[in-house]
């Protein structure tokens, strides 16, 4: 698994498409949000700024890049060759997505640290960490499912757009309007409960017992996406 991850890390820095979508765009968006944090905080709150940073970086940096990577490795038959080795299917998939997962996590943490320095630190750091992990797990599971519908790296630019934009739109909707109205709908949509959890963690003022149940929708999406991936994911190109 680690050897696969090392090889994949080298490929990431050689691929211009992955470099732009996985590294440059998330950092640029995060920098823009932090630079204009007062404007976005006036619109909603600092927790909203943190939530949008997390969702945007993970949607573009992790989800889109993971789908592109898996589609590329399938197209060049690398997935097929890996399955002929002693590595298990789980080890192969983990090895392929591990580098971009670590990079996305570093990006999120770095941008949030900057946001905390220029504004104020989050009220509940452990809860914020849990929210980040839950969001990453959800988007990785959705990436596996989407990869089953993606024929090539170029096709990934089309197949990933609906989910990535939808998750960011839901995060903006929840962050700006709150969950006082249409509570269950906002929380059940992908990214909705995760956004509320990040806002609670950053702004504070919400008991931990009221925040932890917000993990349930994200965990449920992980199970749904994994089940879809089991049906849709392919190890070889379509003939």
């Amino acid at each position: 698994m680690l050897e696969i991850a090392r090889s994949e890390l080298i490929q990431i820095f050689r691929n211009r498409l992955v470099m732009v979508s996985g590294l440059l765009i998330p950092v640029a968006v995060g920098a823009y949000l932090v630079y204009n944090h007062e404007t976005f905080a006036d619109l909603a709150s600092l927790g909203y700024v943190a939530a949008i940073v997390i969702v945007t970086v993970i949607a573009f940096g992790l989800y889109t890049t993971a789908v592109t990577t898996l589609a590329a490795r399938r197209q060049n038959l690398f997935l097929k060759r890996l399955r002929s080795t002693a590595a298990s299917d789980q080890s192969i998939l983990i090895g392929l997505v591990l580098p971009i997962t670590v990079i996305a996590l570093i990006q999120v943490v770095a941008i949030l640290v900057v946001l905390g320095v220029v504004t104020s630190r989050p009220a509940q750091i452990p809860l914020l960490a849990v929210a980040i992990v839950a969001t990453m797990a959800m988007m990785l599971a959705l990436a596996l499912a989407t990869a089953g519908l993606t024929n090539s790296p170029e096709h990934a630019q089309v197949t990933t757009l609906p989910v990535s934009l939808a998750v960011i739109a839901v995060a903006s909707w929840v962050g700006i309007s709150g969950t006082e109205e249409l509570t269950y709908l906002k929380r059940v949509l992908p990214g909705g409960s995760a956004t509320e959890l990040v806002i609670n963690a950053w702004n504070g003022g919400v008991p931990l017992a009221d925040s932890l149940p917000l993990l349930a929708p994200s965990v449920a999406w992980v199970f749904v996406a994994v089940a879809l991936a089991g049906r849709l994911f392919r190890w070889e190109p379509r003939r």
Side-chain angles (χ1 to χ4, degrees), residues 63-83:
Y63 168 74
T64 300
T65 307
V67 175
T68 303
T69 296
L70 293 172
R73 301 300 169 262
R74 181 196 298 121
Q75 187 182 51
N76 61 19
L77 301 181
F78 187 60
L79 284 180
K80 183 179 179 179
R81 290 196 296 271
L82 285 176
R83 290 195 89 191

Side-chain angles (χ1 to χ4, degrees), residues 22-162:
L23 301 179
L24 299 183
I25 291 179
V27 170
V29 173
Y32 172 79
L33 291 170
V34 172
Y35 182 78
N36 295 281
H37 67 271
E38 293 182 353
T39 301
F40 292 103
D42 291 339
L43 184 63
S45 67
L46 282 176
Y48 165 66
V49 180
I52 289 298
V53 165
I54 292 170
V55 171
T56 301
V57 171
I58 293 176
F60 287 117
L62 178 57
Y63 168 74
T64 300
T65 307
V67 175
T68 303
T69 296
L70 293 172
R73 301 300 169 262
R74 181 196 298 121
Q75 187 182 51
N76 61 19
L77 301 181
F78 187 60
L79 284 180
K80 183 179 179 179
R81 290 196 296 271
L82 285 176
R83 290 195 89 191
S84 65
T85 66
S88 65
D89 290 352
Q90 292 82 2
S91 296
I92 293 171
L93 293 176
I94 292 173
L96 289 173
V97 301
L98 183 59
I100 194 61
T101 301
V102 173
I103 290 172
L105 180 60
I106 292 172
Q107 289 175 324
V108 167
V109 171
I111 296 172
L112 291 182
V113 167
V114 174
L115 178 63
V117 169
V118 300
T119 58
S120 59
R121 59 177 292 175
Q124 298 174 299
I125 294 178
L127 184 61
L128 180 63
V130 170
I132 294 171
V133 172
T135 306
M136 296 184 77
M138 180 184 70
M139 296 307 293
L140 275 173
L142 289 171
L144 291 176
T146 307
L149 301 172
T150 306
N151 298 325
S152 66
E154 295 75 21
H155 190 212
Q157 299 177 49
V158 177
T159 58
T160 59
L161 201 58

